[in-house]
Amino acid sequence: MRLIVLLACSVLAVACGSGSHDIEPLPEIAVPQGATEFTARPDIVDPHPVQIQGWSRAGDDRIALHFETGTPECYGVHATITETTDAVGVTVLGGTLPEAQDRMCIMIAVTGTLEVPLESPLGDRVVTAGEPH
């Protein structure tokens, strides 16, 4: 009986795949009104993932990512892009600016936007959060 259960579980595991489920694309939206433009800062301190609310086209080979973070006087963001022939995966990290570490910062959320370059024109590829599969 154990052998039958083990065999059934093995068949189900193979049928379900190895975890490469389709990733939901991020919504393409207009640039949020009043959004603050950020410049990439790879030197941020204590980086952490920032949820991307959507993206918009900023040119053939550029997209703008939209998110919420702290004020640009104290907080910065940095994005990583992974491209495949079918998708563009994006990740945004937020953190404290090095020059603001010893400064008092107000705790207020702002809608931010960050333009990022692509290696190839976006075309009809989907944009996803994280690594594309």
Side-chain angles (χ1 to χ4, degrees), residues 76-101:
V77 293
H78 179 68
T80 57
I81 310 296
T82 306
E83 298 184 46
T84 67
T85 56
D86 300 322
V88 174
V90 294
T91 302
V92 174
L93 298 177
T96 305
L97 296 174
E99 60 271 20
Q101 282 185 291

Side-chain angles (χ1 to χ4, degrees), residues 100-117:
Q101 282 185 291
D102 298 326
R103 184 184 323 161
M104 292 293 292
C105 295
I106 58 171
M107 296 296 287
I108 187 169
V110 299
T111 300
T113 187
L114 174 67
E115 277 193 28
V116 293

Side-chain angles (χ1 to χ4, degrees), residues 6-61:
L6 183 59
L7 187 58
C9 288
S10 298
V11 169
L12 281 175
V14 170
C16 291
S18 61
S20 62
H21 300 288
D22 291 333
I23 295 177
E24 192 71 26
L26 288 169
E28 183 175 3
I29 61 175
V31 176
Q33 188 171 2
T36 301
E37 288 187 36
F38 281 76
T39 302
R41 290 288 303 258
D43 61 342
I44 54 176
V45 178
D46 296 326
H48 58 276
V50 172
Q51 183 175 358
I52 302 168
Q53 298 171 333
W55 65 277
S56 56
R57 295 173 191 267
D60 288 341
D61 60 351

